[in-house]
Amino acid sequence: MNAPTSPHVLAAEQRPIPDAFMAALSARFGSQCVTSQAVREQHGRDEGSITAPPPAAVVYAESSQDVQDAVALCHQYEVPVIAYGAGSSLEGHLLAVQGGISIDVNRMNKVLSIDTEDLTITVQPGITRKQLNEAIKDTGFFFPIDPGADASIGGMASTRASGTNAVRYGTMRENVLALEVVTAIGQLIRTGNRAKKSAAGYDLTRLMVGSEGTLGIFTEISLRIYPLPEAVSAAICSFPTIEAAVRTVIETIQMGIPIARVELIDVNAVRMVNAYSKLDLREEPMLLMEFHGSPTGVKEQAEMVQDLASEHGGNAFEWAERPEDRTRLFTARHNAYFAAVSSVPGCRCITTDTCVPISRLADALLQCVTEADASGIPYFLVGHVGDGNFHFGYLIDPDNDSQRAQAEQLNHQLVQRAIALGGTCTGEHGIGVHKQGFLLEEAGEGAVAMMRAIKQALDPKNILNPGKIFQLG
Amino acid sequence: MNAPTSPHVLAAEQRPIPDAFMAALSARFGSQCVTSQAVREQHGRDEGSITAPPPAAVVYAESSQDVQDAVALCHQYEVPVIAYGAGSSLEGHLLAVQGGISIDVNRMNKVLSIDTEDLTITVQPGITRKQLNEAIKDTGFFFPIDPGADASIGGMASTRASGTNAVRYGTMRENVLALEVVTAIGQLIRTGNRAKKSAAGYDLTRLMVGSEGTLGIFTEISLRIYPLPEAVSAAICSFPTIEAAVRTVIETIQMGIPIARVELIDVNAVRMVNAYSKLDLREEPMLLMEFHGSPTGVKEQAEMVQDLASEHGGNAFEWAERPEDRTRLFTARHNAYFAAVSSVPGCRCITTDTCVPISRLADALLQCVTEADASGIPYFLVGHVGDGNFHFGYLIDPDNDSQRAQAEQLNHQLVQRAIALGGTCTGEHGIGVHKQGFLLEEAGEGAVAMMRAIKQALDPKNILNPGKIFQLG
């Protein structure tokens, strides 16, 4: 393993990998266990800006039993273990900062059951959100949670992900009903059930969702699905300023209009998206909106938002009536991150993820725009603003430590502002290795100590994705 | 303390109360600490059918600091401590089965802040749901969660309560945003924040909600509130059979009609309610429904449900247009439990609380009706059937052990049926002392072991409401 070469390459406390462990792993998994440099490196990084040495091996799990057996061996030899889905996390969740192995769950990508009578589906963790929706597209139902990347459902549950539809349909917190989980000793447990509500003991499902692989590895996930809306319409509206767009959103939410999506895209992001996705969106701050419901309901909602927008100087809505036009627009929005990264060759992106109560959205956001403009660092701003959630992406030269420090400083100011306004340092990306200081500022030492105590109780050897969310001891 | 006099009087492992503890408690709390027999007995029971010797003292807390200091003393002397709100729980949650003291939080009943811009409110735990809605009635907002009794918000959060509105507005799981909690060592922590979503570390708020006082005592609770609907209408519909009513509900939910309340009341309950609340409802199985929305939305919803009902032989809807008529009907529904208990002088009620996926509601419920009819025990059946949640109440002679055993047997059959259908042994009442065996059947030993590990990590001396949810060791 390499020694760290810069402050953003983490290799703290690399734990020893006993030869006997590698032999046992290889004996149990044969060709499912891979140790080539390329495969290990692929599994040792994510989309974030921090790197670490790769894991010692990658196990391609094909069943819950495979995951159980791999974890049991890790427990026996005290070797760290990190589940790997799509590799799209942003805060260093997948980095083997203490060494260990990666369990790749991509071969566990089946839909196990669909129950359209109860609006639930049970899947394996490696299925991606797009694969899932493709698999159920003929049923008349869909799964709405859509982080930008085509993330795996296991990873989305692990990070409590959300996306553009969360303003109407909630996040993974609201949409994971039950789990099958491999515990730190390789035991299989089930949490939750398919009833709509339950008061039966501790809410282990909600504890597991967002635990970033530190309390267990998910092997089955039951989710809520939704009937495809009777009517859908999407619209774009450009605004003279970001503030005008944001004020429109605040009023939309406060009026209780059940908008399904409302995305803010700043002028920088519009330019990047135009170039990357070959669009010709007007180069002004814009809102990209979608309305779901009955035909009359959708019309009512859209008219109300249009009135609010025009009071704030918004242009007339441009409608995207055809499904393929809507898909093109939201695909472009989902690709904003990739559009941005490709706009500055060789850059890494430091992505922010604060979320504040809707009434404080303008306070939280506008000062940050001023600060980002003043910094001179290329950046873009997008946001699931109906939730009070927005992302700045600072596009830094990964070898320029001073620029990195400047971007981190911008992020720090933004997080402190969000916390002071009653918000959170992360709306949907999670803590990983990158935001552990922010978590302490936000939750306080007492609450983080409680998280540590839970971790130590459920994983006494600290083998499940160690070094993430908080430091132990 | 009395020795147990029958199997349903629990006094397992009464722990010693050191004299030095009582002296320190009295010195700290003076007249806020009461040891009279009457007060202790009042705080040592709930509305359930199991009893235990009363706590050794009752501390009337007036602040978070009071709760912290009382818990810190309990921690120092290893004395059990049980928070007390309205005393309306049903599964023995408040029983001092291992001795100890009660902390009465009724004096902590203030609204601390209302934020109508972000639809949140922060309250102290002793405020009841009716006091809360009275306090905000002029703001245009309301808090929808309504268990039958006028429960305290702290108790409702502790048991993950719900009620008639949950079909539309969710349960305490969905509506508690943040907590201030006194931990087992008397430390004050905060969980959650006011942002609509967060991915910041373990979801301690959801872990605490439903933990029945075993992981911490809540001293502040932030809740979601909702704008009063523009239009509300309520209707009653009688059916020839329970099955016809249940089929109507299943189809209503499966069609996605956003009904706000849909309560099943069987003919026994209708008779009891008529007598108790001086009503003249038609003595047939009935659904009591409420619709919220825009005037056209409410009309649409009601028409759709009316069509479904008439397909199943339901009578024409009887409308309750005036707010006072609606209140009278739902108050009568909320009082069904008390109506039933007063219908059989001297009885105790064994209440069931299963919840199943909506498609299995008829399977779960109809066989139980047959069994209850065959038993000869007086009973009633009510249900928040839109959630798949229903309650049988078996009205037993508390001194008739054979009748008690028979009712418990009916409950057992009902729970096993619900679990086999993918449901839960408790939709909203919690586990307490009464359902610990059911929890094991439902969740499995592995998941309950995980709950125990969390409990032992957060409360190593096992002082917070010990003996509830599960047995340790």
Side-chain angles (χ1 to χ4, degrees):
Chain A
M1 301 283 175
N2 301 319
T5 57
S6 100
H8 54 277
V9 180
L10 292 178
E13 319 162 46
Q14 292 276 314
R15 297 201 227 164
I17 309 285
D19 291 342
F21 167 78
M22 290 300 289
L25 199 69
S26 181
R28 165 63 180 81
F29 287 101
S31 66
Q32 284 175 260
C33 178
V34 177
T35 55
S36 74
Q37 181 79 8
V39 167
R40 293 194 292 117
E41 285 189 348
Q42 181 212 344
H43 287 77
R45 60 174 181 245
D46 65 8
E47 287 288 336
S49 71
I50 298 175
T51 57
V58 176
V59 170
Y60 288 87
E62 295 176 359
S63 66
S64 300
Q65 189 65 56
D66 280 355
V67 177
Q68 285 189 262
D69 291 353
V71 172
L73 281 175
C74 289
H75 184 257
Q76 184 184 342
Y77 291 96
E78 304 199 18
V79 170
V81 52
I82 305 165
Y84 183 95
S88 56
S89 54
L90 287 164
E91 301 295 357
H93 296 90
L94 299 172
L95 305 192
V97 293
Q98 298 185 21
I101 67 162
S102 173
I103 298 183
D104 184 311
V105 298
N106 278 284
R107 296 181 189 172
M108 296 175 66
N109 66 350
K110 290 186 196 60
V111 173
L112 298 172
S113 63
I114 304 176
D115 184 344
T116 55
E117 286 194 309
D118 291 313
L119 284 62
T120 59
I121 187 170
T122 298
V123 298
Q124 290 184 309
I127 195 170
T128 71
R129 64 176 181 89
K130 287 185 187 171
Q131 287 170 349
L132 190 164
N133 276 315
E134 182 65 22
I136 63 173
K137 73 168 194 278
D138 296 328
T139 64
F141 292 83
F142 78 115
F143 179 67
I145 316 301
D146 64 337
D150 187 20
S152 69
I153 296 296
M156 288 165 61
S158 297
T159 54
R160 209 179 292 127
S162 48
T164 67
N165 285 297
V167 62
R168 173 142 180 169
Y169 298 94
T171 72
M172 291 301 276
R173 179 176 70 196
E174 287 78 26
N175 287 288
V176 175
L177 294 171
L179 293 167
E180 182 187 82
V181 181
V182 173
T183 69
I185 59 169
Q187 190 185 19
L188 205 64
I189 68 161
R190 286 185 178 276
T191 73
N193 54 61
R194 295 196 312 107
K196 194 178 158 213
K197 64 187 194 184
S198 171
Y202 301 164
D203 190 346
L204 297 180
T205 305
R206 249 54 57 178
L207 177 64
M208 287 287 162
V209 171
S211 64
E212 303 188 6
T214 65
L215 299 179
I217 296 181
F218 308 155
T219 48
E220 286 185 23
I221 303 166
S222 295
L223 301 164
R224 211 167 276 193
I225 52 176
Y226 296 81
L228 286 165
E230 202 186 338
V232 175
S233 70
I236 295 170
C237 185
S238 295
F239 290 85
T241 62
I242 289 178
E243 176 160 11
V246 168
R247 299 274 174 214
T248 301
V249 173
I250 292 173
E251 291 171 19
T252 298
I253 299 300
Q254 289 182 339
M255 285 180 64
I257 300 169
I259 196 165
R261 292 166 144 174
V262 54
E263 295 290 306
L264 174 69
I265 307 177
D266 82 340
V267 67
N268 298 337
V270 171
R271 284 192 197 111
M272 293 164 182
V273 161
N274 275 344
Y276 185 83
S277 297
K278 314 227 176 334
L279 294 172
D280 54 357
L281 301 168
R282 184 199 298 240
E283 294 195 347
E284 281 179 350
M286 58 173 261
L287 294 177
L288 174 55
M289 290 166 277
E290 198 167 273
F291 305 94
H292 294 180
S294 67
T296 49
V298 161
K299 190 161 167 287
E300 265 179 24
Q301 293 173 41
E303 281 168 3
M304 286 192 283
V305 178
Q306 202 153 7
D307 287 349
L308 293 174
S310 70
E311 283 172 28
H312 290 289
N315 294 298
F317 280 19
E318 290 169 44
W319 291 98
E321 296 290 358
R322 296 181 308 171
E324 55 270 35
D325 292 339
R326 292 198 299 270
T327 301
R328 201 165 48 96
L329 279 174
F330 278 99
T331 302
R333 161 63 190 92
H334 279 134
N335 287 335
Y337 173 84
F338 304 103
V341 171
S342 76
S343 74
V344 180
C347 77
R348 283 299 258 185
C349 182
I350 292 185
T351 311
T352 79
D353 182 33
T354 46
C355 184
V356 295
I358 192 72
S359 73
R360 319 312 288 271
L361 182 61
D363 300 336
L365 194 150
L366 298 174
Q367 183 64 24
C368 300
V369 171
T370 306
E371 288 166 356
D373 283 335
S375 75
I377 298 176
Y379 82 93
F380 67 101
L381 166 64
V382 293
H384 316 308
V385 279
D387 290 325
N389 184 207
F390 57 90
H391 309 297
F392 282 82
Y394 309 116
L395 304 169
I396 62 161
D397 171 355
D399 297 323
N400 182 336
D401 286 343
S402 124
Q403 201 180 41
R404 178 183 291 270
Q406 201 186 353
E408 292 290 1
Q409 176 59 26
L410 288 170
N411 191 10
H412 207 130
Q413 287 162 212
L414 175 151
V415 167
Q416 288 187 314
R417 194 169 287 130
I419 292 172
L421 293 170
T424 177
C425 66
T426 173
E428 55 184 11
H429 295 168
I431 299 295
V433 297
H434 189 212
K435 288 195 167 151
Q436 298 186 7
F438 294 156
L439 177 65
L440 268 172
E441 288 182 45
E442 175 178 331
E445 179 52 49
V448 176
M450 185 173 279
M451 295 182 201
R452 281 193 202 103
I454 293 167
K455 166 71 172 173
Q456 286 169 321
L458 302 190
D459 179 19
K461 294 184 178 179
N462 192 27
I463 61 163
L464 295 171
N465 206 4
K468 307 302 158 61
I469 304 183
F470 41 67
Q471 297 302 309
L472 289 175
Chain B
M1 301 280 175
N2 299 318
T5 57
S6 100
H8 54 278
V9 179
L10 292 178
E13 319 161 45
Q14 291 276 314
R15 295 200 227 164
I17 308 284
D19 291 341
F21 167 78
M22 289 301 288
L25 199 68
S26 182
R28 165 63 179 80
F29 287 103
S31 65
Q32 284 174 260
C33 178
V34 177
T35 57
S36 74
Q37 183 78 8
V39 167
R40 292 193 295 117
E41 285 188 349
Q42 181 213 345
H43 287 78
R45 61 176 180 244
D46 65 10
E47 288 288 335
S49 71
I50 298 175
T51 57
V58 176
V59 170
Y60 288 89
E62 295 175 358
S63 65
S64 299
Q65 190 64 56
D66 280 355
V67 177
Q68 284 189 263
D69 291 353
V71 172
L73 281 174
C74 289
H75 184 258
Q76 183 184 344
Y77 291 96
E78 304 199 16
V79 170
V81 53
I82 305 165
Y84 184 95
S88 56
S89 54
L90 286 165
E91 301 295 357
H93 295 91
L94 299 172
L95 306 192
V97 291
Q98 298 185 22
I101 67 162
S102 173
I103 297 183
D104 184 313
V105 297
N106 279 286
R107 295 180 189 173
M108 295 174 68
N109 68 348
K110 290 186 196 60
V111 173
L112 298 173
S113 64
I114 305 175
D115 183 345
T116 55
E117 286 194 308
D118 290 313
L119 284 62
T120 61
I121 187 169
T122 299
V123 300
Q124 291 184 308
I127 194 169
T128 71
R129 65 176 181 87
K130 287 184 186 170
Q131 288 169 349
L132 168 53
N133 276 314
E134 181 66 23
I136 63 172
K137 73 169 194 277
D138 296 328
T139 64
F141 292 83
F142 79 116
F143 180 67
I145 316 300
D146 65 336
D150 187 20
S152 68
I153 297 295
M156 289 165 60
S158 296
T159 55
R160 211 180 291 125
S162 48
T164 66
N165 285 298
V167 62
R168 174 144 178 167
Y169 297 95
T171 72
M172 291 301 275
R173 179 177 70 194
E174 286 78 25
N175 287 288
V176 174
L177 294 171
L179 294 166
E180 182 187 81
V181 182
V182 173
T183 70
I185 59 169
Q187 189 185 19
L188 205 63
I189 68 160
R190 285 183 179 277
T191 74
N193 54 62
R194 296 195 311 107
K196 194 178 159 213
K197 64 186 194 184
S198 170
Y202 299 165
D203 191 346
L204 297 179
T205 304
R206 249 54 58 179
L207 177 64
M208 287 287 162
V209 170
S211 65
E212 302 187 8
T214 66
L215 298 180
I217 296 181
F218 308 155
T219 47
E220 287 185 19
I221 302 166
S222 295
L223 302 164
R224 211 168 275 193
I225 52 176
Y226 295 82
L228 285 165
E230 202 188 338
V232 175
S233 71
I236 296 169
C237 184
S238 295
F239 290 85
T241 62
I242 289 178
E243 177 161 10
V246 167
R247 299 275 174 211
T248 301
V249 173
I250 293 174
E251 291 171 18
T252 299
I253 299 299
Q254 288 182 339
M255 285 180 63
I257 299 169
I259 195 164
R261 293 166 142 174
V262 55
E263 296 290 306
L264 174 69
I265 307 177
D266 82 340
V267 67
N268 298 336
V270 171
R271 286 192 195 108
M272 293 164 182
V273 161
N274 274 344
Y276 186 82
S277 296
K278 315 225 176 329
L279 294 172
D280 54 358
L281 301 168
R282 184 200 299 239
E283 294 196 348
E284 281 179 351
M286 58 174 259
L287 294 177
L288 174 54
M289 289 164 279
E290 198 167 272
F291 305 93
H292 294 179
S294 67
T296 49
V298 160
K299 190 161 168 288
E300 264 179 24
Q301 292 173 40
E303 280 169 4
M304 286 192 283
V305 178
Q306 203 153 5
D307 287 349
L308 293 174
S310 70
E311 283 173 27
H312 290 287
N315 293 298
F317 280 18
E318 291 170 42
W319 292 98
E321 295 289 359
R322 296 181 307 170
E324 55 269 36
D325 292 339
R326 292 198 301 269
T327 301
R328 200 164 49 97
L329 281 173
F330 278 97
T331 302
R333 162 62 192 93
H334 280 134
N335 288 335
Y337 174 84
F338 304 102
V341 171
S342 77
S343 74
V344 180
C347 76
R348 283 298 258 185
C349 182
I350 292 186
T351 311
T352 78
D353 181 32
T354 46
C355 183
V356 295
I358 191 72
S359 73
R360 320 312 288 270
L361 183 61
D363 300 335
L365 193 150
L366 298 173
Q367 182 64 21
C368 300
V369 171
T370 307
E371 289 166 358
D373 283 336
S375 75
I377 298 175
Y379 82 93
F380 66 101
L381 166 63
V382 292
H384 316 309
V385 279
D387 290 325
N389 183 207
F390 57 89
H391 309 295
F392 283 81
Y394 309 115
L395 304 170
I396 63 161
D397 172 354
D399 297 324
N400 182 335
D401 285 343
S402 124
Q403 202 180 39
R404 177 183 292 270
Q406 200 184 356
E408 292 290 0
Q409 177 60 25
L410 289 171
N411 192 9
H412 208 130
Q413 287 162 210
L414 175 149
V415 167
Q416 288 187 314
R417 194 169 287 129
I419 293 172
L421 294 169
T424 178
C425 66
T426 172
E428 55 185 12
H429 294 169
I431 299 295
V433 297
H434 189 211
K435 289 198 166 151
Q436 299 186 7
F438 294 156
L439 176 65
L440 268 173
E441 289 182 44
E442 175 178 331
E445 179 52 51
V448 175
M450 187 175 277
M451 295 182 201
R452 281 194 202 103
I454 293 168
K455 166 71 172 172
Q456 286 168 319
L458 302 191
D459 179 19
K461 293 184 177 177
N462 192 24
I463 62 164
L464 295 171
N465 206 4
K468 309 300 160 64
I469 306 183
F470 41 67
Q471 298 300 311
L472 289 176

